[in-house]
Amino acid sequence: MAQFDPAAATAAYLAVLTPAQHAKAQAYTQGGHWLLLWGAIVAVVASWLVLRSGVLVRVRDGIEKGSPKPVRVAFAVLIVDAILEFILNLPWSAYSDWWRETAYGLTSRSFGGWLGEQLAAGLISAILFTLLLVGLYTLMRKAPKTWWLWGSGVVALFFVVVMILAPVFIMPLFNKYQPAPPGPVRDEVVAMAKTVGVPSDKIFIYDGSKQSNRYTANVAGLGSTSRIAMSDVMFKKDADIAEVRGVVGHEMGHYVHAHVFIFAALYALLALVGFFIIDRAFAPVARMLGAKDVRGLSDPAGFPILAILLTVLGLISTPIRVSITRIAEADADTFSLEHFNEPDGLAKALVKTIEYRAATPSKLEEVLFYDHPSVGSRVRKAMDWKAAQQKVDGVS
């Protein structure tokens, strides 16, 4: 019997796509790297325009005349800012999130459908992040020297709360979730969930294809809000049981290893560093931008300055942020292989994601930009696992 060759098996899986398809995926992926820079520039310009317009100062002054309560002032100013920046960023969002996705065949959604969803998402984001920011501005007023320390904890709490509530109150606004129908797929997922201690009573299929043609599943929520959801794209692309086991096993790994709490802690640490820098940089940046009527860091009318700083820091920290996620994704792959032993199922599913994530980037590109390990490395990992298992089985 010929010895199994992981390198040859990996090459065979990657060869499922033609050279032209790989080239298209590479163009899409590398173009996406540039979008990070251009998107940051657009966001900075939008914030600068809002700041220079003086609209937020006028809103602040008008609200203070009728109600000097700082929370009301902050809420009103931040909502106005959210609306203005949403409008200013909309043309760029239309290009990057709809036109480009359509051009690469990654969505079949109409512009009207996309725009309607953007408006709804923008409204929800404006409310949620305004509440978060009102809390941060309250800290700035009450603890001006240490707000950045307490603020990182607020960010962590906010992250966890949103992750808990999103499956119940937010996600159903954008997709229709239906209980997975009785059959082999549901039976297999239920058995998998019971094996690793994931709640098995909420297994759904959702119409993810209306937003994207991407192949995905997820486990979301905590405690009573936990649920397993598989995009209908998985079934439109002829997923078999082995693929379902590989992909859903990966998502269960995120849940069992409590990655949501790890993300919350690490993002809180990033927020701590970022807020500390903002605390020191706000005043000189405000002077540089000519924000004469902004009273200081705790003045919500100066939020565009804070937004510019957050955008720049976010861009600079991209390698750190994507590496945090990439490490968790690799851990979830390992979990899937160890508990459900479907290297070929996982590999077949991964190959279907190459169209939106180039399979073989350079190591530097992967470290700087990839929030998942490259498909090539993930398939090779699965094939190495398969080879190791065959050796074990051969010995036994």
Side-chain angles (χ1 to χ4, degrees), residues 81-91 93 115 118-119 121-122:
D81 176 83
I83 294 170
L84 292 175
E85 296 211 30
F86 176 84
I87 293 171
L88 290 170
N89 281 285
L90 188 59
S93 297
L115 181 59
Q118 285 294 299
L119 292 171

Side-chain angles (χ1 to χ4, degrees), residues 9-22:
T10 300
Y13 271 116
L14 298 183
V16 169
L17 273 70
T18 66
Q21 288 174 308
H22 278 286

Side-chain angles (χ1 to χ4, degrees), residues 26-39:
Q26 184 173 355
Y28 173 80
T29 301
Q30 294 182 345
H33 303 337
W34 283 103
L35 291 186
L36 292 172
L37 174 61
W38 293 115

Side-chain angles (χ1 to χ4, degrees), residues 71 74 78 128-142 147 150-151 154:
V71 170
L78 293 167
L128 289 177
F129 283 103
T130 295
L131 291 173
L132 171 63
L133 290 168
V134 167
L136 291 177
Y137 275 107
T138 300
L139 286 173
M140 290 174 190
R141 291 194 313 274
K142 295 184 177 297
W147 73 269
W150 304 110
V154 171

Side-chain angles (χ1 to χ4, degrees), residues 79-302:
I79 283 292
V80 170
D81 176 83
I83 294 170
L84 292 175
E85 296 211 30
F86 176 84
I87 293 171
L88 290 170
N89 281 285
L90 188 59
W92 172 255
S93 297
Y95 165 74
S96 61
D97 298 339
W98 178 79
W99 186 87
R100 190 169 183 267
E101 297 291 297
T102 301
Y104 277 93
L106 296 176
T107 183
S108 54
R109 174 147 248 212
S110 68
F111 178 74
W114 174 86
L115 181 59
E117 192 164 277
Q118 285 294 299
L119 292 171
L123 176 61
I124 293 171
S125 296
I127 294 172
L128 289 177
F129 283 103
T130 295
L131 291 173
L132 171 63
L133 290 168
V134 167
L136 291 177
Y137 275 107
T138 300
L139 286 173
M140 290 174 190
R141 291 194 313 274
K142 295 184 177 297
K145 293 184 178 181
T146 57
W147 73 269
W148 50 272
L149 179 62
W150 304 110
S152 63
V154 171
V155 168
L157 179 61
F158 177 81
F159 181 84
V160 172
V161 169
V162 169
M163 292 298 294
I164 292 173
L165 299 181
V168 177
F169 298 106
I170 299 176
M171 293 179 179
L173 297 176
F174 300 98
N175 291 97
K176 185 176 182 180
Y177 288 81
Q178 295 180 317
V185 171
R186 181 183 176 85
D187 293 344
E188 187 61 43
V189 174
V190 168
M192 292 171 64
K194 290 180 178 178
T195 298
V196 295
V198 173
S200 61
D201 58 336
K202 297 176 184 177
I203 301 172
F204 297 92
I205 294 174
Y206 69 100
D207 54 343
S209 60
K210 83 175 190 178
Q211 285 103 1
S212 173
N213 299 327
R214 300 184 180 194
Y215 187 99
T216 186
N218 61 75
V219 175
L222 292 171
S224 63
T225 69
S226 300
R227 59 108 176 95
I228 301 168
M230 297 170 282
S231 172
D232 57 354
V233 174
M234 289 182 64
F235 301 94
K236 292 182 179 181
K237 293 193 175 184
D238 302 319
D240 59 24
I241 293 295
E243 288 180 59
V244 171
R245 282 172 56 83
V247 173
V248 176
H250 168 99
E251 299 301 336
M252 289 179 177
H254 287 306
Y255 181 91
V256 174
H257 286 178
H259 287 161
V260 63
F261 293 111
I262 295 174
F263 289 156
L266 292 175
Y267 290 149
L269 181 59
L270 287 177
L272 177 68
V273 175
F275 289 164
F276 178 81
I277 293 172
I278 288 170
D279 186 67
R280 270 60 180 176
F282 185 91
V285 171
R287 287 193 296 270
M288 182 180 69
L289 296 175
K292 297 179 181 179
D293 296 317
V294 174
R295 299 167 184 164
L297 177 59
S298 62
D299 181 0

